[in-house]
Amino acid sequence: MKANRLQIKICGITNLEDAKACVELGADMCGLNFYPQSSRYLEPQRAREIVEVLAGSVRAVGVFVDAPASEIRNIANAGGIECVQVHGDLSAKTCRELAREFRVIRAFSTDEQFQPEDAGSFPDCDVLLDAHHAELRGGTGVTCDWSTARATLPFARFLILSGGLNAQNVGQAIATVAPHAVDVCSGVESAPGVKDYRTIEKFIAAVRIAEC
């Protein structure tokens, strides 16, 4: 991986074929969703074979929503996952404990309650900013508040921008926010959980052009 290169995370991987395509097309991270209410939910027992496909080239990220630390540990360890992305109300203390075992990505929604300084309470974690949705957690296609994301940058050791990104707007998002990584899900799908490889290719190409 090129030093200081802006990283690309493709989230919502549900099968081996999509995982292999992400490796071939040049993704840096792939998200495996363990939130049962998600249309992109992945059965934990299927995770390890996907992780094995990604091993050595693309980092697998286990995505959890309102899950207790014990459940996160159990699923991640069983699947051979070394990076976990947590949504919900996990405290800084719990995230710090998890960070002793995993690379932790603490996800925040840019709703009215969020303040950029909130990210500073999680110094042991990377920070992912996503758009707020009243019912869904991620993969909504709703654009994150880029100005808030930019203001969060000084408080995050590593900032991942998510929320409504696609090949058409990711260049502007990168120019506005200057994140360390971008995360895409619905913006590279033909249907929830079904990745469109040509669209992934266009997205990755747009990111590489934007960072030049």
Side-chain angles (χ1 to χ4, degrees), residues 61-147:
V61 179
V63 180
F64 299 87
V65 178
D66 295 326
S70 58
E71 179 180 326
I72 294 171
R73 285 191 182 93
N74 290 340
I75 292 177
N77 287 328
I81 294 168
E82 299 178 351
C83 180
V84 297
Q85 177 178 314
V86 295
H87 297 248
D89 297 323
L90 252 64
S91 68
K93 179 181 178 182
T94 300
C95 288
R96 184 166 58 253
E97 292 171 353
L98 285 171
R100 295 173 185 154
E101 304 171 56
F102 310 97
R103 179 173 178 176
V104 178
I105 301 171
R106 179 62 160 85
F108 294 91
S109 296
T110 53
D111 56 18
E112 294 179 355
Q113 285 73 44
F114 176 75
Q115 297 295 322
E117 296 83 358
D118 295 344
S121 298
F122 296 83
D124 304 295
C125 304
D126 298 344
V127 170
L128 180 142
L129 294 186
D130 200 355
H132 172 69
H133 191 284
E135 299 175 354
L136 302 177
R137 299 295 187 95
T140 66
V142 179
T143 304
C144 173
D145 184 335
W146 293 349
S147 61

Side-chain angles (χ1 to χ4, degrees), residues 8-59:
I8 298 170
K9 176 171 172 279
I10 310 294
C11 206
I13 299 300
T14 60
N15 58 73
L16 284 173
E17 291 73 21
D18 288 358
K20 291 175 182 176
C22 287
V23 172
E24 293 169 0
L25 293 171
D28 300 292
M29 296 180 274
C30 283
L32 311 180
N33 195 322
F34 298 114
Y35 181 44
Q37 297 181 40
S38 172
S39 57
R40 302 172 183 87
Y41 173 68
L42 179 70
E43 292 284 350
Q45 58 266 32
R46 296 186 59 203
R48 180 169 282 278
E49 58 188 50
I50 292 178
V51 172
E52 290 174 353
V53 166
L54 301 176
S57 53
V58 177
R59 177 181 292 116

